[in-house]
C-alpha cells in the first residue's frame, strides 16, 4: 500500500495556500518596511572587514588570509557579486543582510505554521519581523542575518523532506546547512543537530 503522506500537501490541513501566501507576503512586507524605517547602514566596524573582502572578490584580487572574515564566503561572495553587478555603495553592502533578515521572519513564520498552524505562523512571523535586535542588525553587513535565514530555510526544508520522504528536499536542506557553515562556523552545530 503506498504511503499516503507523499500525496498530502506540504502545508497543514486547514491551512489553505491563499492564507499561506498572504501571511508570508505580509510578514515579509512588514519586516522589510520596519527594517528600512530603522535603517542602520554602515557602522565602520566588522562590516568594513567583510566589505573589504567582498570588494577584493569583485575586483578579482582576493587572496586567502589568516582572518576569520576572509573565509566567511556565505557573506563575502554574494556581496562581492553585488559589487561587481551594481557597484560599491552602502546599499550594495547591506542589501544581503537586509533581504535575508526579512526572509528569516518569513521562514520562521512558515516553520511555526508547519508545526502549529496559522495562528502560530502569524505570531512567530510578527515577533521576528519586529524584534529590536533583528531590526538593528538587519541593515549592517554581519553574518548573523544571513546565517539565520539559511538555518531557518534548511530547517523548513528538512521538515518538508521528512514529511514527503523527498531526497531532493533533503539535499536542498543540506545545501542550506552547508551555506550556513560557510557563512559563520556555528552553523555547523545546527546542521549536526538535524542530522
Amino acid at each position: 500500500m503506498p504511503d499516503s503522506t507523499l500525496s498530502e500537501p506540504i502545508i497543514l490541513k486547514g491551512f489553505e495556500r491563499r492564507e499561506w501566501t498572504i501571511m508570508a507576503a505580509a510578514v515579509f512586507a512588514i519586516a522589510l518596511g520596519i527594517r528600512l524605517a530603522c535603517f542602520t547602514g554602515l557602522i565602520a566596524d566588522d562590516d568594513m572587514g567583510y566589505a573589504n573582502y567582498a570588494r577584493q572578490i569583485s575586483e578579482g584580487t582576493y587572496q586567502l588570509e589568516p582572518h576569520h572574515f576572509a573565509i566567511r564566503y556565505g557573506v563575502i561572495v554574494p556581496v562581492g557579486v553585488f559589487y561587481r553587478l551594481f557597484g560599491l555603495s552602502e546599499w550594495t553592502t547591506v542589501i544581503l543582510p537586509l533581504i535575508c533578515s526579512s526572509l528569516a521572519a518569513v521562514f520562521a513564520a512558515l516553520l511555526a505554521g508547519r508545526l502549529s498552524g496559522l495562528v502560530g505562523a502569524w505570531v512567530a512571523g510578527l515577533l521576528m519581523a519586529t524584534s529590536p535586535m533583528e531590526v538593528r542588525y538587519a541593515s549592517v553587513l554581519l553574518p548573523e542575518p544571513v546565517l539565520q535565514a539559511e538555518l531557518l530555510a534548511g530547517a523548513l526544508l528538512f521538515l518538508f523532506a521528512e514529511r514527503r520522504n523527498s531526497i531532493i528536499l533533503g539535499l536542498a536542506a543540506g545545501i542550506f546547512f552547508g551555506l550556513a557553515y560557510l557563512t559563520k562556523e556555528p552553523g555547523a552545530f545546527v546542521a549536526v543537530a538535524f542530522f
Side-chain angles (χ1 to χ4, degrees):
M1 183 169 206
D3 187 5
S4 64
T5 59
L6 295 177
S7 62
E8 290 182 23
I10 285 180
I11 54 179
L12 292 172
K13 290 181 181 177
F15 198 3
E16 294 180 22
R17 189 171 307 273
R18 182 171 175 264
E19 292 171 332
W20 186 272
T21 304
I22 290 170
M23 183 273 308
V27 166
F28 182 79
I30 290 167
L32 185 60
I34 290 172
R35 282 150 178 74
L36 289 173
C38 301
F39 186 81
T40 302
L42 301 176
I43 59 172
D45 195 12
D46 288 0
D47 55 344
M48 291 293 95
Y50 292 114
N52 180 48
Y53 289 114
R55 180 192 51 79
Q56 291 175 14
I57 287 173
S58 74
E59 295 171 350
T61 61
Y62 171 80
Q63 292 182 336
L64 188 59
E65 294 179 14
H67 194 281
H68 61 283
F69 289 3
I71 59 168
R72 291 193 171 153
Y73 299 114
V75 175
I76 62 174
V77 170
V79 173
V81 170
F82 285 129
Y83 287 169
R84 182 78 170 172
L85 295 175
F86 306 110
L88 197 147
S89 72
E90 185 173 21
W91 281 102
T92 54
T93 302
V94 300
I95 193 70
L96 179 69
L98 187 66
I99 296 299
C100 285
S101 178
S102 300
L103 284 174
V106 174
F107 294 151
L110 296 174
L111 192 57
R114 176 71 182 86
L115 298 173
S116 65
L118 185 58
V119 173
W122 276 106
V123 169
L126 291 176
L127 285 175
M128 190 88 153
T130 60
S131 169
M133 191 64 90
E134 300 297 326
V135 171
R136 167 71 172 94
Y137 290 112
S139 58
V140 178
L141 182 58
L142 295 172
E144 286 78 12
V146 180
L147 173 70
Q148 185 174 293
E150 292 164 345
L151 289 175
L152 286 168
L156 190 61
L157 286 167
F158 183 87
L159 288 179
F160 291 164
E162 186 178 50
R163 179 171 176 93
R164 290 185 144 198
N165 198 20
S166 169
I167 293 173
I168 301 223
L169 290 174
L171 180 62
I175 288 170
F176 274 100
F177 288 135
L179 287 172
Y181 172 72
L182 290 175
T183 300
K184 193 167 182 183
E185 300 76 23
F189 296 118
V190 177
V192 168
F194 272 89
F195 293 110

